[in-house]
Amino acid sequence: MSDATPYPGASGPATTSKKTMGILSLVFGIISIVFCLFLPVLWILFAIAAVVLGFLSRKREPAARTLATVGIVLGFIGILANIGSMIAGALIMTQNF
């Protein structure tokens, strides 16, 4: 009783599209913004990585174009937020009490 036909609604092997760099870009952008107040020198590297991975993803992974675009935007916001956090920290540390 082996039936060679699959059950109705079954399809062939699932085709997956690669979205790894787009997802990493998005995650790194979010991380760089969330943690910009704590050790901004480290988190600005995540923001730069988000921008670089976003641009690479837009070229190499067409299925992740939206993720890459959001990652690029969040990466640039993360860069600005981290620079602002560094400036604010420097101003606070140089004030005389």
Side-chain angles (χ1 to χ4, degrees):
M1 281 227 223
S2 80
D3 193 359
T5 59
Y7 58 89
S11 61
T15 58
T16 59
S17 56
K18 292 179 70 177
K19 296 182 181 181
T20 306
M21 285 192 288
I23 292 170
L24 282 175
S25 173
L26 181 68
V27 169
F28 286 171
I30 292 169
I31 287 172
S32 71
I33 292 172
V34 170
F35 293 113
C36 72
L37 295 175
F38 312 105
L39 200 61
V41 176
L42 173 67
W43 303 116
I44 198 167
L45 297 176
F46 276 81
I48 293 168
V51 172
V52 170
L53 284 172
F55 279 115
L56 287 175
S57 175
R58 284 174 58 119
K59 279 186 162 184
R60 297 182 186 172
E61 300 172 347
R65 189 166 177 84
T66 304
L67 290 172
T69 304
V70 173
I72 291 168
V73 170
L74 290 177
F76 279 125
I77 292 171
I79 289 171
L80 293 175
N82 280 291
I83 290 173
S85 178
M86 286 184 226
I87 291 171
L91 289 174
I92 290 171
M93 293 301 293
T94 58
Q95 293 210 353
N96 295 327
F97 289 103

